[in-house]
Amino acid sequence: MPVPFPLLPGSLIDGRPVMLGVLGGGQLGRMFVHAAQSLGYETVVLDPDRASPAGRISHHFIEADYRDPDALRELAARALAVTTEFENVPAEALAVLAATRPVSPAADAVAIAQDRIREKAHFVRCAATSGVAPAPHAVIETAADLDAVDAALLPGILKTARLGYDGKGQARVTTRDELAAAWARMGGVACVLEQMLPLAFECSVIVARGRDGQVVSLPVQRNLHRAGILSVTEVYEENVPPALATQAQQATINIANELDYVGVLCVEYFVLQDGRLVVNEMAPRPHNSGHYTVDACDSSQFDLQVRTLAGLPLPQPRQHSAAIMLNLLGDLWFDPAGAPRALPWAEVLALPGAHLHLYGKTEARRGRKMGHLTFTGPDAARVRDRATRAAALLGMEAF
Ligand code: ATP
Ligand code: MG
């Protein structure tokens, strides 16, 4: 039976409350579940980890590998529509689910985002319309490709085509010998070599696109990465020059349209020292740089994910407060000697406009995303002041 969109909150279909499914039980899935549940939907999460952040709060939890056919069948039987929160979720799993249930984003859009070679090719195609191109790059799949690399791409960054995240699967190289050694260390897998660009700063844009092609955009996020991991996101008026913000939003909408994308999509950009905008990569899901939307916008990126999945209307979201998000990595849970330490939450939460989100992960590890802390306020000066004080209290490097 075709699924009757829109899946209205609180309605019964075949005598059952509407249940929405998510493949992946990490923090993004957890915040999707929060948003779905607050609208009145039931949820089902599939994740291999019994203690997964989303699995622990969902109505139903299926503990299984993403490829397990029985588990995928159970997910499709319970959920009327399914989304994903995990970039490296096997695209085949989405394709299997799509045979019986509406799935968004679609497996083919996820497959493009999972493969830097296909992703870059998509960006090059879109640049013809938007004027925003990716970094100069070369695809390296064979030793011959390696030999043919244009010297102008060095110094550069070698990135594996698949399964990279948070700066993993990357090597910075300055000479041909270093490039060859780095490619060998990566096991000779398919890679992209990108020219190292002189960055002024980084930003990202999140859009949501419905089944009918309607698309809405969130404000441009200005992002600070440290050691390849997002550390701080700042969103308020003039966080980036307005002309650049418009260009980035239009380029992102174009990228989503050209994929015929359904769901929430985040595209990351570099702003070069000469002011040019360069497209870096995309995530076919809500993004760490959009977590501030939960507290600072009238529709969060997770609300938008629920709406696109359920086929609900997509009014243009509005940011009502200036915001700064601090990413809370597991490193903060240890003192300089490496001993576990308690964090000063009472002092942090005494600051006005503090919104703490901990993901319920039982074990802190270095580099692990344990939670985030968003400050909202009436203007940039005040949120900067409070976020700076919180960073100092938490032992985070100043930004
Ligand atoms: P993510 O967690 O965002 O998926 P990732 O591991 O896929 O990260 P990228 O976003 O490609 O990696 O790169 C990580 C960071 O490395 C970027 O945010 C940027 O700071 C830096 N970087 C990547 N490519 C370049 C480049 N061509 N020139 C300069 N800096 C770069
Ligand atoms: Mg990135």
Side-chain angles (χ1 to χ4, degrees):
M1 194 195 74
V3 171
F5 287 114
L7 299 172
L8 294 175
S11 63
L12 297 177
I13 292 178
D14 292 339
R16 287 193 300 150
V18 175
M19 185 171 286
L20 302 178
V22 55
L23 261 182
Q27 59 270 16
L28 300 173
R30 179 179 174 99
M31 289 182 270
F32 168 84
V33 166
H34 285 150
Q37 291 182 343
S38 87
L39 266 177
Y41 294 111
E42 297 203 350
T43 57
V44 51
V45 170
L46 188 160
D47 192 279
D49 177 6
R50 154 171 321 187
S52 74
R56 292 169 55 161
I57 63 160
S58 178
H59 292 89
H60 285 281
F61 173 56
I62 303 170
E63 181 188 339
D65 186 85
Y66 300 119
R67 293 171 206 267
D68 181 331
D70 290 336
L72 291 172
R73 252 193 302 279
E74 184 186 348
L75 181 62
R78 289 188 182 277
L80 285 176
V82 180
T83 188
T84 174
E85 60 101 46
F86 174 49
E87 196 163 349
N88 291 323
V89 76
E92 312 92 86
L94 294 177
V96 168
L97 288 167
T100 45
R101 288 294 183 205
V103 172
S104 67
D108 51 350
V110 173
I112 292 172
Q114 283 175 347
D115 182 337
R116 279 190 205 277
I117 297 172
R118 296 184 63 193
E119 181 180 58
K120 288 264 192 298
H122 182 68
F123 291 157
V124 169
R125 272 193 303 278
C126 290
T129 313
S130 68
V132 182
H137 63 277
V139 171
I140 297 179
E141 291 175 305
T142 65
D145 294 336
L146 196 68
D147 293 340
V149 159
D150 186 340
L153 294 179
L154 295 171
I157 306 187
L158 185 67
K159 303 180 179 180
T160 58
R162 301 183 63 80
L163 299 175
Y165 68 98
D166 289 347
K168 296 187 176 74
Q170 301 196 3
R172 298 187 174 215
V173 294
T174 47
T175 63
R176 281 183 179 282
D177 287 346
E178 281 177 23
L179 170 61
W183 190 56
R185 266 200 310 279
M186 289 175 182
V189 296
C191 284
V192 171
L193 174 68
E194 273 177 49
Q195 189 181 52
M196 179 74 83
L197 298 172
L199 309 190
F201 61 90
E202 298 183 60
C203 62
S204 57
V205 177
I206 293 165
V207 296
R209 191 170 181 277
R211 284 192 181 78
D212 58 357
Q214 193 204 344
V215 55
V216 295
S217 164
L218 287 163
V220 176
Q221 293 111 210
R222 182 171 177 140
N223 301 325
L224 172 67
H225 292 82
R226 286 173 171 145
I229 306 180
L230 182 67
S231 179
V232 181
T233 294
E234 302 187 52
V235 196
Y236 38 73
E237 247 169 83
E238 312 252 321
N239 62 343
V240 307
L244 200 82
T246 306
Q247 191 186 24
Q249 282 178 318
Q250 285 173 351
T252 309
I253 289 170
N254 182 43
I255 286 167
N257 284 340
E258 292 297 317
L259 285 169
D260 199 14
Y261 193 84
V262 178
V264 170
L265 176 78
C266 179
V267 180
E268 292 182 59
Y269 295 90
F270 299 141
V271 179
L272 306 189
Q273 284 163 16
D274 66 7
R276 254 185 317 139
L277 189 66
V278 169
V279 54
N280 174 29
E281 60 171 358
M282 61 182 166
R285 51 167 173 76
H287 193 258
N288 200 163
S289 63
H291 291 355
Y292 76 96
T293 58
V294 171
D295 302 301
C297 295
D298 58 9
S299 256
S300 76
Q301 60 171 349
F302 304 102
D303 296 328
L304 296 173
Q305 186 182 21
V306 172
R307 283 169 176 255
T308 55
L309 186 63
L312 293 175
L314 285 179
Q316 175 60 45
R318 187 179 72 87
Q319 183 179 2
H320 51 69
S321 298
I324 294 183
M325 182 217 64
L326 307 178
N327 231 6
L328 303 173
L329 300 182
D331 308 57
L332 299 178
W333 272 247
F334 299 95
D335 70 15
R341 66 165 188 140
L343 286 154
W345 295 130
E347 286 91 325
V348 168
L349 293 171
L351 295 166
H355 307 265
L356 177 63
H357 300 262
L358 293 178
Y359 306 144
K361 297 182 184 179
T362 40
E363 191 199 343
R365 288 196 296 269
R366 290 187 189 282
R368 189 173 200 204
K369 292 173 180 170
M370 301 299 291
H372 68 271
L373 177 65
T374 301
F375 282 89
T376 55
D379 52 50
R382 268 174 278 194
V383 289
R384 278 200 70 92
D385 172 59
R386 292 156 189 172
T388 303
R389 282 197 271 163
L393 284 168
L394 292 169
M396 262 179 87
E397 205 185 312
F399 55 91

